[in-house]
Every structure is written in C-alpha cells, then in structure tokens.
C-alpha cells in the first residue's frame, strides 16, 4: 500500500449505519423481547414463551449419548470438523422417521441444520432475490418473517377458503418487482394460531404452487405434538404421492428436534429434492461449515433410544395442559372474546374485542394481575391487527393455568370496562392462518 | 384460494435453477472437496486437511464440562433455548482473553457465533450489498471467499508494500457499482500462506480503512498458535490504542476455539463495537436463534480449566511439526521451488515453477507417491495462479512429514522432467498475502 495520511487519534468514528448493507434496514429489534424481559419475576404466571418445558427434557438420555460420543472409538470425530451434510447415522434415522410420515426419501435428501430456524434462513437465502414475494398466511411464525426479511421479502397473504386466483398472486408479485418464490406453511398446530390445515387445504396449496410454479416450504416444527384426532399427511407426502418421487416434488420439509427432544442443542433438518439439498450443503459450508458434530451424535443416540417414549410423555403432559387452558378459557372469558381450539402444539390464539390492543393489555395484565402472554401484532408482516394475543400452555402446570386464565379474564373485563362502549363490539375471529 | 386447475401427476417438475435467488450463481462446489475424498486411503500421507490433530483435543475436560452442564442446577438451561448473544459466563471469559491481547472491551462487545465461519457469513450479510467490494490479499482463506460470495462480493487485491492509493481502491469499487465495505485480513499465520503481517503493515491497513472509511475484519483463527517470535498486537488492539475506545474502532475481530480447543462444537466469537454487535444479535436471532447452549457451557468449562495448558501443548506439538516440515523441504525440494516460513499456524505455502499446475501435481502425487496437499488455485477469488500448493503440518507426525515431503520432492522433480524446459523457469514467489 502507498503512503496514506493517517487521521489523528479520536477524530474518526465510523458511521456504521451508512456502511451496512441495504437488507439490514429490514432487521428490527422485536418489541416483544423488551416486554418479555419483565417476565422473570416469580410471581408472574407466564403464557408468553413458546418454548418446551425443561422438566420434560430427556436429560439422562442426553448424558448417555454425550458420554458415548466422547468415550468410544468415535471420540475424535465428536470434536472434529465434519461434513456439511450432517452426521450420517442421524440422517439415516431421519429417513426412517420421514418414511413413517409417508415421505419416501434417502439419506441424500436430508441435510442437518442448526434448528429449523436455520433451515428458514437458508431457504430465504436460496430462493429470495430482493423484490420477490413469499406467500404465507398471517398471523404466522415471527421467526419465519425475521428470516425472510433478511432477504428483503415481500409478503402476500394466503387465506384458506378465499377465492383469490393464482394469477392474482402472480400479478401482485410482479407488481412488486419480483416473483412469488414459495408458499410458507406450518400445517399442524401452527405458531401462533394453533390451527391445522385439513387435507383439502393442503391439496389446494400444492395446486396453487403448481399454478405459480413455485416452491412450498413446510415448517413441521410442531407436527409430532398431536393431542387428538388423526394425523394428516404432510404436504411433502401429498406432493410425492401425486408426482411419484421426492425428486419431482416442489415441497421442502423443515423438521426439528427442538419441540420433541430439546432445543438447546440446535438440531433440525431439511428434507427435499437433491437439487435443493445440494445447494443448501454449499450454503452451509459457506455459512458455518456444519452443525456441531457432538450434538448430532447425541441427538442420534437419544432419538434411537427414547424418541417414541418421549413423544408419548410430552403429548400426555402438554395435552392435559391444553385441556386445562381450554376449560379455563370457557369459564373465565367474557362475551366477545374468541379463541382457537388446537389439536396439538403449544399455542392458543385469542381474539379480543376490536378496541382492545394486545400490547396495552399485556402492560396492564403484568402490572395488575401478574399474568403474561404475547401481543398478537408481532406475528404479522405488516402493522397487523392489535386485538389478539398468543397464549402458550407448554410451560405451566394445570393449577397455574386455571389461575392465570382467571387473572387474564379479569384483566380483559377491566380493559372492556375502561373503554368506550364501542370497545365492546364483538370482533370477528381473525381469519384462519396457514 | 380459488379453484385451481391441478396439474396431472408426473407432469410437473420444478425448474429449481430458475427459482433460485441471484446470489446462488456465486455458490459453487469446491473442486478440492472432490479431490480430497480420495485421501481417506491409509497409505496416503496427507498434508491437505487444514484441521487440528484430534489426538490433541482435551477430551477429558470436555467430558467433565458436559457432565457438569447436564448435572448441575443449570441442567434445564443447558438443553433449553437461550440468548442470541451467547452464554454470559463464556462471554465474560472471552473479555478477559481479549484484555490479555490488549483489547479492552466488555461483555456487550462479544457475541458468540457457531465458529468463526459464521462470523464471516454474518459480516458479509451485514456489510455487503450486491456490487460492493471486499479488499483482501490473496491467496486467502477459501471459507471467507465462500462466505462473501453468497452476498455477491467483488474483490480487490491488497498487496503489502505496493503503492496503490486509497483513491484507486475507491474508484475501482465505484466502477463496480458499489463501495469498498471492508478489508478482510488474517494477520497471524494466515491460511493458506502461513504469513504474518508486521506492525507497520497492520498500521497501514488501519490507515487505508480510515481513508476509505470502511471496516476491517480481522480473522484471528490462528492467533494463539505462535511457535517463535514475539506476539504482534491485533489490529483491533492497535485501532483501540489510536482512537481511545472499542466503540470508536472500525475493526471487527473474529475469534475461534476451533484451532485451540476443538472445532466440532462450533464455538467462536465476534468482538466489535456495540453498534455492530447489536445488529449481529438481530441477525443471529433470525438465522439460528443462538449457538448450542450446551456447547457454550462446555467450552466455558474447558477454557477456564485448561486453556493455557492446552495452548502450550499444541504449540509444542505443532511447532515441532513445522520445524520437521521446513527441514524436510530444505532437504528435498528442487531448485525453483519456494516456500514460506510461518512463525505459527498450520500452513506452508509452496510456489512451484510456473509451468507446473498444483492440481495436476496432486493427481500425479496421489497416484504415484501417495502424498496429498491442496492445489493453490482454490485460494484465489479469480482464476488465480495454478503453480502453488498449500501444505498443512498440523496432522502428521514428524516421521511421516519427512517421508511425505521426500515423496513430494520426487513428484515435483518428475513433473519438471516431464515438462518442456520452459517449465524449469524459476517462478517468482507469489506476492505476500494478507
């Protein structure tokens, strides 16, 4: 380098905002996170966190799995760099799991990710050029919106049962300067709505994807947590059934061990045609080389030894908590409040009278009733509707659920009493989400 | 959704290539990876893998750390979701480590990443809009190029000691439709060159960054592996020394436990002004929520109990291997071959006579001499120079190093004999890289 005039000490301070890439403007801090910092107080009954109950983690199996990984002949492997595709025995176990869901694939259709959040990030990176559109219902999973926002996604809203044509979606995407690249869908017990798509809705989504010639991203994070009714085939299974092979499918399935075994190890997977997996493997190599080897080995051990027993255990516990929350809602909610009745998962979505804002209700509820939840607006890509909240039943026992919902009922009544009579107007339940 | 005409089974097959985002065109499979699949044969002496020797991993300390994390009062925490910033005790340990390097910072200047590869990916995502330029020496770390390629980087080459002005770099970046956003530099024992920047070169890089008003990304993956000479202050330490505070610095430091403790747990960190860390935390939340909690707890335990002893152990072992390789090169290389003399790290960069291509030499060497290395071209963002190879001394004992270099010497002589006399022309050593 040539001679350069050095600036005097203290004079320089980089204007970072001017240096950041254009996409950074779309990454914003979540208001929820700030609110949720208040929830650590022991007197608060919280229905806010969308997280599994740590009391249900199979710790002993993880201890055994980690011990085995670090003691056996593979102990060098456990701490060493490994393949971007993931630990082969775990991928083989997942192939069997997928087969049990009606998805016939082989090990080369599976890549391990650091949780299914990473799969969503990678799929945004893979598919979205600036200006492109992602189709999704909303309210929808906040983390999906955060992942896709980083690639400057536009959004268009899918509402089950409405009559909008494929060409209307296509035209809207083109008007925004791009193309509809995928439909994002959480078909079972979605976060935050708790709702499940029936078979005909799944078929319609695949048909719409055909008409748009786009991909489908199936977020299956909660799929194993069913408390009643029959399993409905995943979109990828339906897609394979009609086109004959996963290699011809347009659906990309994102699985996770976070809700079944434990989230802290960050192990999930993508199941997709090899044309997609091959690109994702390159992406993973460039972005973090591979998910932690040791964790994949531990999850492999735990999955092989306790997966089915673990599912039975958490389904029994969370199912009872869901029942307790639904019963308490019936007992304590005033007229004009509506809620979903999830067949599984962790969430109930509650729609308030129109004039009641979920964020204001949270502030009041925390202060006067020591009960917490997540205001609904965060789950919309636009300003959204403020008169809804998400309740999670995964982390509270049945006693605190009954007490917390009673507190919430009082808080909502108080908000209705404080508002003008217009606030009493019964709101339509939010349109069902994907 | 309205009525959609479903396509008949078997008729559809998505043209994935047409659906992928523009950035995907820049993500290519590495030819090296294909070649390296041949290296598993036990008769091959390999200097190819740039990986630590698993025999040196502190397995017992990891076993203790994992056991402690899963047995104590924090065992729920170890398997649960956690903060995107990372595990606070580990960040506090890193603050102490940074202080020992002359970098005064606090815990909010540290974010944990899934290896320093993830830091490079995030920094590309943070700083590069399509068309922007990254300045780097080359040959340079292949993984950095892969990370930045995903954000459609242009590259401009920094050569220590040349006379190119800041305005020339600025003009070149603008001519490519963007701006010079950062200088990427591995200052100590760089991969692949093995070279180290002296103090004046570090100061010149900071001055160039001042003149361009851009950031500096300091990749410190190998910094702890010094086998001779005095430590040279990291660029971030020099930057803080002149501007008075890390908050005013323009340097972003990427650290890693992969080369010191073990790579398989994927734990690294970024140390930077809070304005940068705040954005990276949002990015991490959107891309994988957080690095595995358990692994961060285990690394914290291992770092606190054996870090210094581990550094002493690997420095003694790798230092002896470096000496053995340098000695063998002196003994076995023909006239016209040049190589670097690294003061640390894992790599020696070897420049061949101009007509000898590293990739062809590898094919010949594997076939006839059972010795392996990485051809040099992969470490260039453009077609690069073919007449160079990277040798790693980290994973071979001194005996096999002597034998392997003797084989390599025979292989190079054979290539020179087979070529026209022009091939004998002595090549200039490749210009030193950053």
């Amino acid at each position: 380098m040539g001679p350069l005039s050095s600036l005097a000490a203290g004079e320089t301070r980089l204007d970072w905002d001017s240096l950041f890439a254009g996409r950074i403007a779309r990454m914003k801090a979540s208001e929820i996170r700030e609110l949720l910092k208040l929830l650590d107080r022991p007197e608060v009954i919280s229905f806010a966190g969308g997280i599994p109950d740590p009391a249900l983690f199979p710790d002993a199996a993880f201890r055994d799995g980690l011990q085995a990984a670090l003691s056996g002949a593979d102990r060098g492997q456990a701490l060493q760099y490994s393949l971007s595709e993931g630990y082969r025995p775990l991928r083989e176990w997942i192939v069997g799991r997928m087969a049990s869901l009606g998805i016939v694939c082989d090990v080369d259709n599976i890549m391990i990710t650091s949780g299914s959040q990473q799969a969503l990030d990678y799929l945004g990176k893979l598919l979205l050029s600036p200006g492109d559109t992602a189709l999704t219902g909303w309210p929808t999973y906040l983390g999906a919106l955060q992942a896709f926002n980083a690639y400057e996604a536009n959004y268009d809203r899918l509402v089950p049962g409405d009559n909008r044509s494929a060409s209307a979606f296509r035209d809207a995407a083109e008007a925004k300067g791009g193309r509809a690249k995928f439909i994002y869908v959480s078909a079972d017990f979605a976060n935050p709505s708790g709702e499940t798509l029936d078979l005909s809705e799944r078929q319609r989504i695949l048909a719409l994807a055909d008409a748009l010639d786009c991909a489908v991203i199936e977020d299956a994070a909660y799929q194993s947590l069913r408390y009643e009714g029959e399993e409905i085939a995943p979109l990828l299974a339906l897609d394979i059934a009609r086109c004959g092979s996963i290699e011809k499918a347009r659906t990309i399935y994102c699985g996770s061990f976070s809700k079944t075994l434990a989230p802290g190890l960050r192990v999930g997977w993508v199941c997709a045609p090899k044309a997609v997996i091959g690109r994702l493997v390159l992406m993973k190599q460039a972005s973090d080389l591979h998910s932690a080897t040791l964790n994949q080995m531990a999850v492999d051990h735990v999955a092989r030894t306790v997966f089915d027993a673990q599912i039975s255990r958490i389904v029994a516990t969370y199912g009872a908590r869901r029942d307790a929350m639904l019963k308490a809602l019936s007992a304590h909610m005033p007229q004009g409040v509506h809620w979903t009745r999830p067949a599984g998962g962790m969430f109930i979505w509650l729609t308030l009278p129109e004039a009641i804002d979920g964020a204001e209700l949270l502030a009041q509820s925390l202060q006067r009733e020591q009960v917490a939840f997540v205001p609904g607006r965060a789950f919309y890509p636009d300003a959204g509707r403020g008169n809804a909240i998400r309740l999670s039943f995964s982390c509270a026992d049945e006693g605190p659920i009954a007490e917390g919902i009673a507190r919430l009922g009082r808080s909502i009544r108080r908000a209705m009493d404080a508002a003008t009579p217009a606030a009493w107007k019964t709101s339509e339940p939010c349109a069902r989400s994907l």
Side-chain angles (χ1 to χ4, degrees), chain A residues 100 202 254 378 404-405:
Chain A
S100 76
R202 295 175 195 221
C254 305
I405 294 297

Side-chain angles (χ1 to χ4, degrees), chain A residues 71-263:
Chain A
S71 307
D74 293 340
R75 73 200 168 100
Q77 185 187 354
L79 298 175
Q80 186 59 287
Y81 287 116
S82 62
L83 292 179
S84 301
E85 291 84 343
Y87 181 58
R88 191 175 177 98
L90 177 60
R91 291 160 67 215
E92 289 168 348
W93 183 88
I94 291 168
V95 166
R97 170 80 187 142
M98 300 308 292
S100 76
L101 298 170
I103 295 166
V104 177
C105 65
D106 70 37
V107 74
D108 294 324
N109 296 114
I110 308 290
M111 183 182 85
I112 303 296
T113 57
S114 296
S116 62
Q117 184 68 36
Q118 187 174 64
L120 298 178
D121 175 52
Y122 283 6
L123 292 170
K125 194 172 181 178
L126 181 73
L127 294 168
L128 293 169
S129 288
D132 281 340
T133 289
L135 271 56
T136 179
W138 56 72
T140 190
Y141 172 50
L142 170 62
L145 298 175
Q146 290 176 320
F148 304 150
N149 282 346
Y151 303 102
E152 303 174 68
N154 296 309
Y155 298 96
D156 203 353
R157 187 177 188 185
L158 269 186
V159 180
D162 83 2
N163 279 319
R164 199 160 157 218
S165 69
S167 60
F169 284 107
R170 187 185 298 112
D171 293 348
E174 287 174 3
K176 289 174 183 167
R179 181 175 157 195
K181 285 295 186 71
F182 58 79
I183 302 171
Y184 168 74
V185 56
S186 181
D188 296 283
F189 336 121
N191 177 1
S193 72
E195 291 189 311
T196 297
L197 298 183
D198 66 21
L199 191 62
S200 71
E201 284 164 343
R202 295 175 195 221
Q203 296 284 18
R204 277 172 180 276
I205 287 168
L206 290 172
L208 176 62
D210 284 346
L212 293 170
D213 200 24
C214 74
V216 175
I217 298 177
E218 178 172 27
D219 181 343
Y222 300 94
Q223 189 170 42
S224 299
L225 306 186
R226 177 175 281 280
Y227 314 135
E228 65 177 44
E230 290 295 308
E231 279 189 10
I232 305 171
L235 279 88
L236 179 53
L238 298 172
D239 197 359
I240 293 172
R242 60 188 198 138
C243 70
S245 157
I246 190 171
E247 300 310 330
K248 291 186 182 171
R250 56 176 73 250
T251 304
I252 301 168
Y253 177 105
C254 305
S256 173
F257 291 104
S258 293
K259 308 305 189 292
T260 52
L261 301 183

Side-chain angles (χ1 to χ4, degrees), chain A residues 211-405:
Chain A
L212 293 170
D213 200 24
C214 74
V216 175
I217 298 177
E218 178 172 27
D219 181 343
Y222 300 94
Q223 189 170 42
S224 299
L225 306 186
R226 177 175 281 280
Y227 314 135
E228 65 177 44
E230 290 295 308
E231 279 189 10
I232 305 171
L235 279 88
L236 179 53
L238 298 172
D239 197 359
I240 293 172
R242 60 188 198 138
C243 70
S245 157
I246 190 171
E247 300 310 330
K248 291 186 182 171
R250 56 176 73 250
T251 304
I252 301 168
Y253 177 105
C254 305
S256 173
F257 291 104
S258 293
K259 308 305 189 292
T260 52
L261 301 183
L265 274 71
R266 314 302 304 125
V267 181
W269 70 93
V270 178
C271 178
K274 293 187 182 78
V276 170
I277 295 293
R279 296 293 182 157
L280 293 178
V281 167
L282 290 179
M283 195 175 283
K284 187 147 183 74
Q285 200 184 349
S287 80
D288 66 2
L289 302 182
H290 60 85
S291 293
T293 324
L294 180 67
N295 303 23
Q296 296 184 64
M297 293 170 80
V299 166
D300 179 58
H301 174 93
V302 175
R304 285 172 192 274
T305 51
V306 305
F307 190 82
D308 290 339
Q310 175 69 9
I311 296 293
S312 300
R313 188 173 167 223
I314 61 180
V315 161
T317 305
Y318 294 155
R321 290 174 181 173
R322 178 202 63 156
D323 294 343
M325 188 171 277
L326 288 171
K327 186 176 160 199
L329 286 167
S330 292
H332 297 294
M333 285 301 122
Q335 278 283 333
V337 176
H338 303 273
W339 57 91
T340 56
R341 193 185 185 291
M346 296 183 171
F347 305 107
I348 292 172
W349 182 252
L350 196 128
T351 307
L352 301 161
E354 277 181 14
I356 301 184
D357 182 79
E360 288 167 26
L361 184 69
L362 175 60
Q364 290 294 320
S365 299
L366 273 170
Q367 191 185 351
R368 299 191 57 169
E369 296 284 354
Q370 320 277 16
V371 64
F373 47 81
V374 178
R377 212 182 292 272
F379 303 99
Y380 290 80
D382 52 15
R385 285 172 69 167
N387 63 321
I389 63 175
R390 188 192 76 177
L391 301 172
S392 169
F393 50 79
S394 57
C395 279
D397 277 329
E398 294 154 52
I401 285 175
E403 168 61 22
I405 294 297

